[in-house]
Amino acid sequence: MAKKRKKKKIGKKEFLFNFFSLLIIMCIGIYFGGRSFYYYSKQNNTLNSEISILSEKIVANNRVTKGGDGLHQDKEGYYFKGSVKNNYVKFANRDFRIIRLNKDNTIKLISEDNASVFMWGDDSSYKKSNLYFWLNKTNNKNTGIYYETLPSVEKFLVKTKYREDKLLESKVEKSNEVYSDYISILTIDDYVNASGKNSYLNNGKYSWVIGHDQDDMNLYINEEGSLEGTGNYESYGIRPVITLKKNIKIASGDGTKDNPYVIKQGKDINYVDQYVKLGNDMWKVYRDNGGVLRLSLFKYVGNGTTYNESRPFSNNTSEFNTLDYNNIGYYLNNQLVPNLSYSNIMLDTNYFIGEISNDTSLNYSNIFTNVVNCKMGLLNIFDYNPTNNLTDYYLINTMSTVGSMAYVYNNLGLLEEANVVEEKYIVPTISIEKKVLKKGNGTLENPYTME
């Protein structure tokens, strides 16, 4: 019978030796493991920072989640949902938010703010609305006002697909007909997928949405972020939606609000949404016609050279008139302009003041039926509007050539009505030749100047 071997007891010195040896081995492992992780992370961050394709950057900067806020994935690609903080894009001098990265690597964006505020129109169909013809260039005259604010559209964009769906309480009934245009607005589907009022798409302002409710009313987003039905004669904000081509490159940015992804545009740029300083006044470009820029004052004007004072439109009519002493048109061109140090560079400009009312079917093309030529005017209802920091100011269009009600812009995304004798703010507009600007880069900190 084999004898049991006695277990050798470990001495105190041997135990300490083994313990400290194991401790040293663990420390070495932690050290070199940590160093490996450090260099891997550093290399990974370096590689990430070197990524210049926007679609690749979006995926690299976001971990796909199956619940909660962030980047989600579906059969169509990736989409952002909830309270997202890193989906900002700077393109054409303005801010957009990324809605989704399509499976073909094109990127769908929505304007962070309203580009204008006006009525849907006489027909509830989107393809026949004021919005459609204002956003897109068609064979009709005077269409594509927003389209023309973007540089080299066909170089940077592909057409955006959309449907006119129906919202049945919380369910979306999808239309079988799919449209595509270079510019559209938010769809019900995109708003619901993003988590609606609890998402980055809720900017606290009113704006139109493509689609109808169960009563076939047009839809808009209210100030709280809820979808509501309304008549197509109402006026709300327009947030353009565009789709960037795949392989679009960025110059910088990490997608945050203070450091958005900046699209690399090269020489394909324009002056729209950039700043111009004339004398002591800051202006913002709302139209770039090549050699001529149209500018909107970046503050309110009052009596004389005093700012932030409200005043009436006139004492009897909402038609803009430069010959009537009691009219805002007379004040701007005969009292304000002569007192400005840069009045000599202002160009005589055609301002379209045609009536917009139910009598004209609220058709925006009617603004072109009447015109006044002068050096200083006001923004039109259907101008691209870059002054989202300003509110409660008169617009140039009349509601009736014989009536006393005028249109007032509200930057919450509303078009209001006021009697012409009511005091509202005034935001004048002018035109200048681009060649008079010699210095600056167009930012608020370094605006274009004449010298």
Side-chain angles (χ1 to χ4, degrees):
M1 187 173 175
K3 293 182 179 180
K4 290 184 179 180
R5 295 180 61 182
K6 292 183 179 180
K7 291 183 179 180
K8 185 180 179 180
K9 291 184 178 181
I10 299 175
K12 185 177 181 180
K13 289 184 178 180
E14 188 176 355
F15 173 79
L16 291 174
F17 175 79
N18 291 340
F19 175 77
F20 283 112
S21 296
L22 180 62
L23 189 62
I24 290 171
I25 291 171
M26 290 176 64
C27 290
I28 292 172
I30 292 171
Y31 173 77
F32 284 105
R35 295 293 290 176
S36 298
F37 180 77
Y38 168 77
Y39 284 114
Y40 171 78
S41 299
K42 187 174 182 179
Q43 182 183 26
N44 193 53
N45 288 336
T46 301
L47 291 173
N48 189 14
S49 67
E50 291 175 352
I51 296 174
S52 61
I53 304 298
L54 178 57
S55 58
E56 296 175 5
K57 196 78 168 179
I58 294 168
V59 176
N61 281 357
N62 294 274
R63 181 177 297 176
V64 176
T65 179
K66 293 184 178 180
D69 301 340
L71 188 67
H72 291 245
Q73 190 172 15
D74 60 15
K75 63 180 181 180
E76 299 299 327
Y78 301 90
Y79 65 96
F80 282 102
K81 180 178 181 179
S83 182
V84 182
K85 306 294 184 183
N86 66 335
N87 64 340
Y88 288 85
V89 172
K90 177 76 75 174
F91 173 62
N93 305 320
R94 66 203 73 164
D95 291 323
F96 290 86
R97 303 295 291 271
I98 301 168
I99 296 176
R100 80 163 36 244
L101 170 60
N102 297 314
K103 59 184 178 182
D104 62 357
N105 287 330
T106 57
I107 303 119
K108 192 174 187 179
L109 310 178
I110 183 170
S111 173
E112 170 68 349
D113 213 330
N114 291 324
S116 191
V117 178
F118 51 80
M119 57 290 294
W120 185 275
D122 193 46
D123 196 301
S124 64
S125 167
Y126 172 70
K127 295 284 282 189
K128 296 179 181 179
S129 69
N130 285 327
L131 284 70
Y132 176 77
F133 291 106
W134 185 82
L135 291 167
N136 294 282
K137 198 78 175 172
T138 73
N139 292 328
N140 295 4
K141 286 183 64 178
N142 302 311
T143 58
I145 291 175
Y146 183 82
Y147 179 101
E148 292 180 345
T149 70
L150 300 174
S152 306
V153 169
E154 295 183 20
K155 181 174 181 178
F156 292 101
L157 306 184
V158 294
K159 290 187 176 181
T160 298
K161 294 180 180 179
Y162 61 91
R163 302 182 307 267
E164 291 196 61
D165 295 333
K166 183 172 286 190
L167 183 65
L168 305 176
E169 294 182 354
S170 59
K171 181 183 176 183
V172 180
E173 182 180 275
K174 295 185 178 180
S175 169
N176 293 323
E177 194 162 7
V178 179
Y179 304 100
S180 63
D181 291 290
Y182 278 112
I183 309 167
S184 65
I185 59 171
L186 194 65
T187 63
I188 303 172
D189 213 28
D190 279 333
Y191 197 59
V192 171
N193 283 343
S195 206
K197 66 188 300 183
N198 299 314
S199 76
Y200 65 94
L201 289 174
N202 179 9
N203 66 356
K205 297 188 177 184
Y206 295 81
S207 60
W208 288 111
V209 173
I210 293 179
H212 301 88
D213 67 6
Q214 57 192 7
D215 298 317
D216 288 325
M217 303 285 281
N218 287 104
L219 291 170
Y220 73 99
I221 300 170
N222 65 20
E223 190 178 1
E224 287 75 37
S226 298
L227 281 171
E228 292 190 2
T230 186
N232 44 298
Y233 292 124
E234 301 298 326
S235 301
Y236 297 110
I238 293 88
R239 293 179 69 182
V241 170
I242 60 176
T243 302
L244 294 172
K245 287 184 174 181
K246 64 181 181 180
N247 299 327
I248 286 289
K249 292 185 177 181
I250 60 172
S252 61
D254 60 11
T256 56
K257 184 174 183 178
D258 295 329
N259 189 25
Y261 298 122
V262 179
I263 302 302
K264 187 176 286 188
Q265 294 179 226
K267 294 182 180 179
D268 296 285
I269 57 175
N270 63 24
Y271 281 51
V272 176
D273 268 311
Q274 293 195 304
Y275 297 88
V276 175
K277 189 173 183 181
L278 302 175
N280 293 320
D281 299 325
M282 190 72 74
W283 298 78
K284 201 169 184 182
V285 181
Y286 69 94
R287 193 181 303 175
D288 181 347
N289 292 333
V292 174
L293 302 177
R294 287 203 172 191
L295 314 177
S296 173
L297 193 65
F298 200 53
K299 56 187 173 185
Y300 310 112
V301 68
N303 294 309
T305 56
T306 304
Y307 294 93
N308 295 331
E309 289 186 7
S310 56
R311 56 181 298 125
F313 190 94
S314 75
N315 67 348
N316 54 13
T317 177
S318 62
E319 187 171 32
F320 188 86
N321 191 331
T322 60
L323 303 177
D324 180 358
Y325 180 82
N326 294 304
N327 193 280
I328 191 63
Y330 182 93
Y331 162 71
L332 292 176
N333 288 276
N334 297 283
Q335 295 178 306
L336 182 59
V337 168
N339 290 320
L340 297 174
S341 62
Y342 47 90
S343 61
N344 61 309
I345 68 165
M346 294 183 193
L347 303 176
D348 289 322
T349 302
N350 283 336
Y351 287 95
F352 298 104
I353 60 172
E355 178 182 343
I356 300 297
S357 67
N358 291 345
D359 293 336
T360 63
S361 299
L362 297 176
N363 191 324
Y364 94 88
S365 64
N366 202 67
I367 66 173
F368 301 101
T369 60
N370 195 6
V371 64
V372 61
N373 186 273
C374 55
K375 292 190 181 299
M376 183 174 281
L378 302 173
L379 283 169
N380 195 295
I381 291 177
F382 300 106
D383 277 324
Y384 171 68
N385 195 327
T387 57
N388 288 304
N389 62 312
L390 304 177
T391 192
D392 200 35
Y393 56 85
Y394 278 117
L395 298 171
I396 201 169
N397 300 97
T398 179
M399 295 178 65
S400 169
T401 55
V402 295
S404 60
M405 299 297 290
Y407 288 110
V408 175
Y409 176 85
N410 184 312
N411 68 359
L412 282 179
L414 300 170
L415 195 61
E416 299 176 339
E417 301 173 5
N419 192 291
V420 292
V421 298
E422 291 184 52
E423 291 192 350
K424 300 291 181 181
Y425 291 117
I426 305 300
V427 179
T429 59
I430 60 173
S431 296
I432 64 170
E433 289 185 310
K434 188 183 295 184
K435 65 183 180 182
V436 304
L437 303 177
K438 306 296 184 182
K439 294 182 179 180
N441 63 10
T443 62
L444 186 59
E445 297 76 20
N446 186 24
Y448 294 116
T449 60
M450 291 188 293
E451 54 184 28

